[in-house]
Amino acid sequence: MSNEELEFELYMQELLEKVSRGDSSAQATLGDILLEDEDYGRAYILLLQSAKKGNAYAQKKLGLMYQGYYPNSGMKDDAEAVRWFTRASKQWEKEATSLLALHYSLGWGVQKNMMKAIKLWEKAAQQNYAPALFSLGQMYFKGIDEITKDCKKAKEFILKAVQNGFQGVCEVHETLAKIYEEEKDYNLAYSQYEEALKALNAYVELPRYEYKHEEESIESSQNDSKENRKSEIEAKLKELEKLISAE
C-alpha cells in the first residue's frame, strides 16, 4: 500500500468515526464523496441528515440533486431544489444563492421574479462570487425585463467577475467586447474578441451545471454552435480592423 493510499484509508476511518457520532460536517463530506461515486441513495441519506442539522453545504448539494445535476440519481423536483437552495442561501452560501437566483429568473419551481433574482445575485456578488457577478453584468448589458440597460454597470460587474476567477472564458470576453464596441472603444473591443476566440478554440466555457434542466443539453448545443460562434467572432475582428484603420 502506497503512502497516499494509507493516508486516504486513515482519513476515511476518521471520517466514518465522525459520521457515527452524528457530526454534520462529516456527514456532508462523506455524502459528497458518495455522490462522486454515484452512490446516490446513501449520499442522499447522509446529506439529508446533515442538511436537517443546518449544514449549508449539504443543503446546497440536496438542491443540486433535486435540480437534476446528477441525472443518474433519478431525482428531479425544481420546487424542492428551490426549498433547499433557499435554506442554504439564508446562511449566505454564495453558490446556492446564485443558483436560487437562476431559478427565480427562469421560473423553475417558483414563480418567475426577475427583481428577486437580481437581489439574490447581488447578495452572492457581495461575496465576490464570479458567476453572480457575471450574471448581473449580463442582465445590465441586455436590459432584461425590469432591468434597464446600463453598460457602465455591466462592465463593472463583468470586470469584477474576471478579477474573481472568470479569466479566459469565451462568453465573458465576448460580452466585454460588445460593451467596448458600443462605447466605440474599438481597440479594446478588438482585444476582447481576440481573447474570446482564444477561449473558444481552447473550449473554455462557463461552468454550466446550474443550467442543466429537463432534457436540455447545453454541451450539445455548444458543440453545434461552436463553429458558428467562431465565424461570427472572426467577422467581428475583420469589421473592427476596418474601423480602427479608419480612425
Side-chain angles (χ1 to χ4, degrees), residues 136-181:
L136 285 169
Q138 284 188 312
M139 294 296 105
Y140 280 109
F141 176 62
K142 294 176 182 177
I144 295 174
D145 294 334
E146 298 95 335
I147 309 304
T148 303
K149 182 169 180 172
D150 187 327
C151 282
K152 184 179 178 181
K153 275 189 177 182
K155 184 167 65 174
E156 287 174 0
F157 279 121
I158 295 172
L159 287 174
K160 197 169 182 181
V162 171
Q163 292 169 6
N164 284 277
F166 265 21
Q167 301 99 341
V169 179
C170 179
E171 291 163 283
V172 174
H173 293 297
E174 195 171 2
T175 305
L176 278 173
K178 290 175 181 176
I179 293 171
Y180 288 128
E181 196 174 357

Side-chain angles (χ1 to χ4, degrees), residues 59 62-68 77-86 100 103:
Q59 290 167 349
L62 283 176
L64 284 168
M65 290 186 79
Y66 279 115
Q67 190 188 54
D77 187 328
D78 282 330
E80 277 296 293
V82 167
R83 186 167 77 90
W84 286 110
F85 286 147
T86 299
L100 183 60
H103 277 256

Side-chain angles (χ1 to χ4, degrees), residues 82-206:
V82 167
R83 186 167 77 90
W84 286 110
F85 286 147
T86 299
R87 292 180 68 172
S89 176
K90 286 178 180 178
Q91 298 190 70
W92 287 82
E93 215 293 335
K94 58 190 178 183
E95 191 175 7
T97 301
S98 188
L99 290 164
L100 183 60
L102 184 76
H103 277 256
Y104 274 103
S105 72
L106 297 173
W108 291 351
V110 69
Q111 186 174 351
K112 183 176 178 179
N113 187 330
M114 281 304 302
M115 295 311 297
K116 176 75 172 177
I118 290 293
K119 287 179 181 178
L120 286 164
W121 272 317
E122 286 174 343
K123 179 180 177 180
Q126 287 173 25
Q127 298 168 274
N128 292 324
Y129 186 56
L133 288 162
F134 181 61
S135 293
L136 285 169
Q138 284 188 312
M139 294 296 105
Y140 280 109
F141 176 62
K142 294 176 182 177
I144 295 174
D145 294 334
E146 298 95 335
I147 309 304
T148 303
K149 182 169 180 172
D150 187 327
C151 282
K152 184 179 178 181
K153 275 189 177 182
K155 184 167 65 174
E156 287 174 0
F157 279 121
I158 295 172
L159 287 174
K160 197 169 182 181
V162 171
Q163 292 169 6
N164 284 277
F166 265 21
Q167 301 99 341
V169 179
C170 179
E171 291 163 283
V172 174
H173 293 297
E174 195 171 2
T175 305
L176 278 173
K178 290 175 181 176
I179 293 171
Y180 288 128
E181 196 174 357
E182 288 200 11
E183 293 176 344
K184 299 189 184 305
D185 192 334
Y186 300 129
N187 285 296
L188 280 178
Y190 188 91
S191 67
Q192 287 300 320
Y193 276 124
E194 280 189 318
E195 291 301 316
L197 190 59
K198 287 178 189 176
L200 186 63
N201 287 332
Y203 204 67
V204 178
E205 295 291 342
L206 286 173

Side-chain angles (χ1 to χ4, degrees), residues 45-60:
I45 291 169
L46 285 165
L47 290 170
L48 184 61
Q49 289 172 345
S50 180
K52 284 182 174 179
K53 294 172 185 174
N55 186 287
Y57 182 81
Q59 290 167 349
K60 177 189 70 178

